[in-house]
Amino acid sequence: MGILRKVFSRRTLAYATGGTALFFGGGLVYLNSGPPYPVPSKETRRPPPPWTPPSRAEMLAKLKASGAITTLTKGGQDAQSEEFDLLIIGGGATGAGCAVDAASRGLKVALVERDDFSAGTSSKSTKLVHGGVRYLQKAVFELDYDQYKLVREALHERRTFLHIAPYLSEMLPIMLPIYKYWQVPYYWAGCKMYDVLAGKENMESSYLMSKGKALETFPMLKSDGLVGALVYYDGQHNDSRMNIALIMSAVKAGAVVANYCEVTQLHKDANGKLNGAKVKDTLTGEQWNVRAKGIINATGPFADSVLALDNPSHETIVQPSSGVHITLPNYYSPRTMGLLDPSTSDGRVIFFLPWQGNTIAGTTDTPARVSRDPEASEEDIRWILEEVRSYLSPDIKVRRGDVLSAWSGLRPLVRDPNAEKTEGLVRNHMINVSESGLLTIAGGKWTKYRAMAEETIDTAIKAFGLEGRVKNGCVTRELRLVGSDGWSRNMFIGLIQTYGLETAVAKHLSENYGDRAWTVCSLAEPTGESWPLHGKRLAPQYPFIDAEVRYAVRHEYAQTAIDVLARRTRLSFLNARAALDALPTVVDIMAQELNWTYAQRKKQIDDAVKFLGSMGISPALAAAHKPEPIPRGRWENLMWSVRKTGAGVWNVFWPVHETKESFGPGRSKFEAGEVAALRSAFAGRARPVGDGEEKVKAEEVVEVLKLVPSYSEISKITKKELDYVLNEAGMRGQSEFDFDEFIEISGNLKEILVAPSPKKHRSRMSIPVEKSGGGV
């Protein structure tokens, strides 16, 4: 009794209560003590001080000046000042991050990119800034310290994004639907460990959600068997806009950057050490030399091509995998909640995320070959659609026609050349310095670009003897990127009040340009309408405006229409068909800025149409709908009028009866007037049945559709495809169909008719998630 009295005494209970409260209270404060959103002030009402970066021509002149050096004497201060400390090859996330880090330390930096900045992997990611929940799972179950370290480092870098570029990054809750009761504690423990690893830099704490709340939040979710859901937080960003922000921040810090400049040769001194490179302007063909004390190879999947310039017999280090994503309309997901499917049919993970007003779904990991513009295969697109279909409500028809865009990005899985062959692929990034002094950084993921850059520049300073050239240590953890200083979440209201923009346009500009949106708006032409006063849209359904094209050319080094459609704006990633429709306007505005001739404008359209053919729409259909350049000047307008008049006269005497061809799998199943044509064909073959309702026999469906011009290819439909359509519609085994059933079958068959045919089946080799160099 004495012991029980002591255990349950008031003092003991007070200690226990206080200790418990202190433990949970301290834990809550610790998990929520990270840096908050920027605090708005009166200063954020006003535009930031104006800044115009040096032009591309000025950048090229500085690169050429370094190549004019022939000798470097001990006292040759003038010649010495022209030589770069570092030449960075590659303008993706890693290369741009290295340029920011090195320039902010006071080094003289040059960066060259063969294509456009972020033209490769860095614009084709999952758009997540994350630690990787699957990496954590592998770390726990396989007791893998490297995986644990990778997750911890990525989680700490994740919060840095929100601090240095708050307008481009945001927190995103992601739902894990739970369909087994035993998964509740399993998922809860995993996500809580994810929170704890992030520590004071955690975003928000994960939490459980009841079945009813999950369906209220995500009504598209399959409810059959649903137990509940667990929600955890990760970050999301606009990858290519982030890349451009890094490039412009490097320029502001003094770096010299140039896109469309390819390194064709590496130069070595008498001791076999690298001291420069030959660079070619791929737009003009001009070549020159660049001198630098050290060279960094940050070309991602193309690292081996630069290594081959240094040593043709080098051992291959890159084994790329292909990550495929598709863009779906916004009605596929709520605007403020993502979804993670942790158990797909072959064990891979699929994210289902709201992004830029639409929904993106991906990704797959499949071995691939290195190419400049990888295409999303039809097999991968259909696989993603099948997986999406499996966890959405059965009353939602997931159609190929809802795929607005699709893209494939190469993820560089790397092998350390200094490691034993049995050690396999590097799970994280790899830094290697060759005998001649070529420093290669490869692998990794978007989330860790800053930490990778810091480690790379630390290595470069030691390897190239630059200790005396640096002015300070690494400051990129606190260095806010261009566009961040004068930005607040309410800045878009000032844009509306000042320039008379639509709310959607103002929010878009604020969230993609930060305080540079003021400069973008200053380039906007009046609409000529009562409202909005400024902001002519490039595509009616998206908030991209004409001023962004001018800004991209004048302030962000855009050189082609693809640069604007794919990377300065994200229109081609959101909707390839809308990008095709906007193409003539974009080319016309760029022609005003860059003085393009008619032939140059036509070539820009040809190149852009070819590129859009790799974005999930049929290349043949993209080419068939290729637009013509908008005529400029009296002569072009005269020739355009003559051609139009001639075509009209020709059609009077030799009319051509054409049916409107559907542009790939359509958002709407039927073109204008097509339902009426189907009704007429149905009425011609239907017969009344016992109840007086007219129906058509199952074996006559294909014959009836042959009477409709837009179904001229219906004979290509196989019995297997017809059975699939009937089974999906729940009509398999029926001998007759009424008109409504006939219309549903017709729409489903049309999707098969216009969808791109998958290539010959290839075996899918799933890349283990723990080996993936970027994302999941």
Side-chain angles (χ1 to χ4, degrees), residues 25 72 103 133 145 215 298 400 424 503 525 527 562 596 648 693 727:
L72 289 175
V133 289
Y145 179 74
L215 291 175
R400 177 59 176 83
T503 301
E525 296 287 338
T527 62
I562 301 172
W596 285 341
E693 187 178 13
N727 186 54

Side-chain angles (χ1 to χ4, degrees), residues 369-446:
R369 61 181 181 85
V370 175
S371 61
R372 294 177 76 162
D373 283 318
E375 295 185 20
S377 71
E378 191 63 24
E379 294 94 328
D380 282 331
I381 293 174
R382 294 187 179 184
W383 180 82
I384 294 174
L385 289 174
E386 286 296 327
E387 296 300 328
V388 168
R389 189 176 289 118
S390 69
Y391 58 78
L392 291 187
S393 176
D395 63 338
I396 298 176
K397 181 171 174 53
V398 181
R399 305 185 302 127
R400 177 59 176 83
D402 284 334
V403 177
L404 305 179
S405 183
W407 68 92
S408 174
L410 295 179
R411 294 167 171 164
L413 308 183
V414 293
R415 185 188 303 276
D416 190 341
N418 294 330
E420 295 294 332
K421 291 184 178 180
T422 55
E423 291 188 27
L425 301 177
V426 177
R427 292 171 180 155
N428 205 338
H429 63 277
M430 178 274 297
I431 297 176
N432 174 259
V433 182
S434 70
E435 293 182 0
S436 63
L438 178 62
L439 193 160
T440 298
I441 166 69
K445 52 194 276 188
W446 238 119

Side-chain angles (χ1 to χ4, degrees), residues 127-180:
K127 323 302 180 194
L128 280 177
V129 184
H130 65 140
V133 289
R134 280 292 291 269
Y135 293 124
L136 180 59
Q137 181 190 38
K138 293 285 183 179
V140 172
F141 283 97
E142 298 179 8
L143 300 178
D144 191 328
Y145 179 74
D146 289 336
Q147 298 261 19
Y148 167 82
K149 184 180 177 183
L150 173 64
V151 175
R152 184 171 175 81
E153 289 177 352
L155 285 172
H156 284 277
E157 288 298 320
R158 183 183 66 175
R159 193 66 190 240
T160 303
F161 269 77
L162 272 72
H163 174 65
I164 65 174
Y167 65 97
L168 287 170
S169 312
E170 61 183 353
M171 293 185 293
L172 178 69
I174 300 177
M175 179 187 294
L176 283 156
I178 302 174
Y179 288 92
K180 305 289 184 183

Side-chain angles (χ1 to χ4, degrees), residues 20-36 159 192 195-196 198-205:
T20 302
L22 184 64
F23 175 80
F24 284 103
L28 186 63
V29 171
Y30 178 72
L31 291 176
N32 290 279
S33 60
R159 193 66 190 240
K192 284 301 175 185
D195 294 342
V196 170
K200 65 179 182 180
E201 294 171 323
N202 189 43
M203 291 181 169
E204 293 287 347
S205 295

Side-chain angles (χ1 to χ4, degrees), residues 218-285:
F218 210 119
M220 311 84 176
L221 198 61
K222 181 176 68 175
S223 61
D224 187 24
L226 183 68
V227 172
L230 195 139
V231 177
Y232 74 98
Y233 283 79
D234 256 327
Q236 189 179 51
H237 73 142
N238 188 337
D239 49 8
S240 73
R241 291 296 318 165
M242 180 73 178
N243 205 134
I244 292 298
L246 287 169
I247 289 290
M248 302 318 298
S249 298
V251 171
K252 199 166 187 178
V256 175
V257 304
N259 52 354
Y260 294 100
C261 287
E262 179 180 7
V263 171
T264 58
Q265 186 179 343
L266 297 178
H267 297 157
K268 299 179 181 179
D269 61 18
N271 298 319
K273 295 295 183 180
L274 294 176
N275 63 0
K278 177 177 282 188
V279 176
K280 176 183 178 181
D281 186 337
T282 60
L283 298 177
T284 64

